Amino acid sequence: VDAFSSLELAVIDSVVMHLCCYSAKTLERFTHAELPWLEARQDIPEGRPSQRVIPKERIGAYFTAVKEKYAMLGPDDIDSYAKTLFQRPAR
């Protein structure tokens, strides 16, 4: 039995193709600019660790909105989202 469906493999391949070119620090900057992260850390100073958990439902709702905003209909549509993240100014 395959661990992943063909669609899941296509999504994984697309993420690797469009995001593996970025450094760990750049990817960290991407995720730390996303609304669920910002909401969870609203009163925590930058650089200070936190144990706050971002609820799965909040992450799901956020990425559902991202999917709609970027008209992500297939795995290759991750490209436009990644390019937008890369063009954001650093915080």
Side-chain angles (χ1 to χ4, degrees), residues 39-68:
E39 290 172 346
R41 294 199 47 92
Q42 57 188 306
D43 60 345
I44 300 171
E46 189 173 331
R48 181 165 284 162
S50 170
Q51 296 298 314
R52 288 188 185 158
V53 175
I54 302 171
K56 288 181 183 179
E57 297 79 19
R58 179 64 191 107
I59 295 169
Y62 176 76
F63 282 104
T64 295
V66 166
K67 180 181 173 185
E68 291 171 9

Side-chain angles (χ1 to χ4, degrees), residues 29 33 85-91:
R29 184 174 57 88
L85 291 174
F86 185 69
Q87 294 168 355
R88 271 191 207 158
R91 290 184 179 249

